[in-house]
Amino acid sequence: MCGIVGYVGSRQAVPILIRGLRALEYRGYDSAGIAVGYNGTVDVRKRVGRIDALQELVDRRPVQGTAGIGHTRWATHGRPSDENAHPHTDCTSSFVVVHNGIIENYAELRDELKAQGHRFSSETDTEVVAHLLEAMYDGDLVSTVRRVAARLRGAYALAVMSNREPGKIVAVKQASPLIIGLGEGENFLASDIPALLPHTRRVIPLEEGEMAVLTREDVLLMRLDGTPVTREPMVVTWDPGEAERGGYAHFMLKEIHEQPRAVRDTLAGRINRAGDGVVLDSVRFDPEWVRNLKSVHLVACGTAYHAGLIGGRLIERLAGIPAWTELASEFRYRDPLVDERTLFVAISQSGETADTLAAMREARRRGARILAITNVVGSSVAREADDVVYTWAGPEIAVASTKAYTTQVVALALLAIHLAEITGHTGPLGRRNLIEALRQLPEAVEAALGLEDEMRAIGDLARDWHDAFFIGRGLDYFAALEGQLKLKEISYIHAEAYAAGELKHGTLALIEQGTPVVALVTQPDLREKMISNIEEVRARGAEVFAFARRDLTGIDRYARQAVKLPVVHPLLMPVVAAVPLQLLAYYAAVARGTDVDKPRNLAKSVTVE
């Protein structure tokens, strides 16, 4: 996620802005910039790369002024470059904007503004805001920002300055965080608390649909309709390390809790107005080619592979196209049967996974069309693919993947629906039902976070586990694979996942008195089968922890503990089930005293074979 800072007061703004941006580096970024007001102008300095590159530019081309805004960008619309870095300005350089989030209707706004003669210098969605401010300015920056915000669709946070009204910053929060910092004769703005702590601990988090007007003397809060808002500041008592993690004990826990926002961002702007199809701007399939596809190959490593297993099942079910999910490290060594009638889907959080890149290149050599699902704009996987579906998960700091996984599943669901639109295998009603379920998914993920206390208790029990087994059928088997991976990679408990129907083929030999078994029961058509499998392990003395969809009744009597999950469409239950399984792994690791964010022997991005 991008970072925003702002300052207005009597001190020079540049050192405060750059220090604030450095405090937000943990969020991840690919470019940085500042805008500072001075003597009736607003000077912009921005540079692709690290903040050190911005500092070097500012040292060479100094800028003075006591009011300014700054930004670290995590690329969404447009590759990482100097031109695409924030802040952005209008044609006259009178209005300057920094922006977090996504403007969903930027394309139609851009076309409208171009028709009016506006000239654009970047590929970003943000630049339309600067040009709208120029086009709609009525002599009052606050009312202009309010009217501009009314034209924007999406989840975003904005900070705006203008040389026409110096010494003023106007900020807007719409689903993306912004926090005001209160000083004496100076005031501050940031997208996260760490940037404020060197200067003040008195803060006011903006709430949904609110604006703030910052000057040296005062901060005014209001709703987007102009209604004044009064709110007492809170006093932050975190130390700086806690602040980077938003008050959470570990980045992994913070990232687990960011999943409702990450899922919402991945869906943003990707559902059509009719509600029966999706909009994937960076995917340009020829419909006839799709209808003649021989197969889809989904290739990935680790957690992304588990997302691919779910995605393959969704593609087969919705689009009626045979789908194979394969480990990238094995793909090149089996003479794969892919050709020009194959869609090859490469899934990688970082976009730099060495085995996945190598598999992509082999598939291309054989004639396949390449589609990438990744979290990083401008990554190698994205650059080398024919089509891209980005997951807007934001930076993931903890080695164990959480929000990257759930957003990959969401992106794959969108792809499956898109293919289904073309093949007609699933009709408008079926697509509409699944899309409506996708819209409800962020709330279901939020509800799943409500199981945290229950997971903490099971995690405490896991302190003494030596082995654990995860079982499930259908999509639940794939969810079990991800659940066991999370547990063993951060808690170091030996864990294995099995298709529940395979228990009699060897696995039951490992079940004895007290063996913990995590059983997933989220697919209504497989409920009775799973109950039989649970009874099989109970008869051998297993302690069963069942993770079941809330409306699948009767599971309680077969388990030591039944965790009741929020209800969504069965095809999306793996996303909901992932949340408590992540929390179980997290609290087991905490109970055992392991290094949660940096487990031994593992790296975040595997860039060597």
Side-chain angles (χ1 to χ4, degrees), residues 131-177:
H131 290 277
L132 277 174
L133 289 164
E134 177 190 7
M136 299 176 68
Y137 186 63
D138 60 6
D140 181 350
L141 184 61
V142 176
S143 70
T144 302
V145 170
R146 201 160 59 233
R147 290 187 298 116
V148 166
R151 298 213 55 198
L152 305 178
R153 294 200 308 269
Y156 55 84
L158 301 172
V160 175
M161 290 176 59
S162 174
N163 60 13
R164 302 186 187 186
E165 299 184 36
K168 180 184 293 182
I169 300 172
V170 181
V172 178
K173 172 188 163 46
Q174 197 72 276
S176 193

Side-chain angles (χ1 to χ4, degrees), residues 74-92:
W74 176 273
T76 56
H77 296 76
R79 68 193 187 284
S81 68
D82 288 352
E83 295 78 15
N84 290 332
H86 296 214
H88 287 287
T89 64
D90 65 307
C91 297
T92 65

Side-chain angles (χ1 to χ4, degrees), residues 105 245 309 323 350 559 571:
N105 59 333
R245 300 186 300 271
L309 288 167
S350 68
L571 295 182

Side-chain angles (χ1 to χ4, degrees), residues 214-285:
L214 286 73
T215 62
R216 178 186 304 185
E217 298 82 15
D218 204 1
V219 173
L220 299 178
L221 304 182
M222 64 190 75
R223 302 288 303 167
L224 281 172
D225 62 4
T227 305
V229 171
T230 302
R231 186 177 305 120
E232 289 298 312
M234 58 180 276
V235 178
V236 178
T237 58
W238 305 336
D239 65 37
E242 283 184 298
E244 286 187 0
R245 300 186 300 271
Y248 292 99
H250 298 92
F251 280 110
M252 182 179 177
L253 186 59
K254 177 175 183 281
E255 288 156 10
I256 289 170
H257 278 265
E258 288 174 342
Q259 287 177 113
R261 189 274 308 159
V263 169
R264 190 175 289 111
D265 286 353
T266 298
L267 291 170
R270 287 174 163 169
I271 295 173
N272 68 16
R273 292 185 179 181
D276 63 355
V278 301
V279 179
L280 300 177
D281 290 335
S282 299
V283 176
R284 296 176 177 84
F285 292 150

Side-chain angles (χ1 to χ4, degrees), residues 209 242 327 406 446 520 557 603:
E242 283 184 298
L327 290 165
T406 48
E446 188 77 55
L520 282 96
R557 72 180 70 126

